[in-house]
Amino acid sequence: QVCRGLRTPRLPVWLCSVSGRHSVLFGTNSLLLSDWKMERVFQLYFYSGRREQAEPARLTIDTHAHPWEEDPREDSRSPGKRRSSLEMAIRTKWAGATVSWNGTDPFF
């Protein structure tokens, strides 16, 4: 028997396998589970469990990114256009979203 809290979480939590490593992506705003309007710009936290990561990385997700602001002539494989594996995983839930690492160097 699975307890009710595991069937219906109070906070958004995703267990991830990014680049072959297990990690946790979570939010502290419970409204993300019930109010789609909260999915415009919001914070998620990422914890990989790596020894060098002392605290979760705070990510800002913007689901209303402006793709027309990107230069269409720039090669998608160029360093300025590459996205981390974690950002691509986030985009499986929020297609086209931009992810800001808020000053932390993307480590996935």
Side-chain angles (χ1 to χ4, degrees):
Q1 181 81 358
V2 175
C3 79
R4 196 166 114 178
L6 291 176
R7 290 188 308 235
T8 309
R10 293 186 180 154
L11 294 172
V13 176
W14 294 272
L15 299 176
C16 306
S17 178
V18 179
S19 301
R21 296 195 58 133
H22 293 90
S23 54
V24 178
L25 185 66
F26 63 96
T28 57
N29 184 351
S30 63
L31 291 177
L32 278 173
L33 295 171
S34 60
D35 186 359
W36 62 269
K37 295 175 202 165
M38 298 303 294
E39 292 186 4
R40 166 105 174 64
V41 177
F42 55 95
Q43 306 287 314
L44 290 179
Y45 297 88
F46 177 70
Y47 184 70
S48 67
R50 294 168 55 176
R51 198 174 311 206
E52 57 272 4
Q53 185 183 5
E55 59 186 43
R58 184 176 57 89
L59 310 174
T60 300
I61 314 300
D62 183 354
T63 60
H64 288 80
H66 305 291
W68 59 85
E69 291 178 351
E70 295 180 4
D71 185 355
R73 295 169 294 171
E74 188 176 341
D75 185 2
S76 63
R77 295 168 296 192
S78 71
K81 297 283 276 189
R82 290 186 189 154
R83 306 285 187 245
S84 72
S85 300
L86 178 62
E87 290 177 45
M88 297 308 292
I90 289 170
R91 286 180 170 196
T92 63
K93 168 87 172 129
W94 296 284
T98 59
V99 178
S100 170
W101 286 74
N102 299 306
T104 303
D105 288 332
F107 46 87
F108 265 94

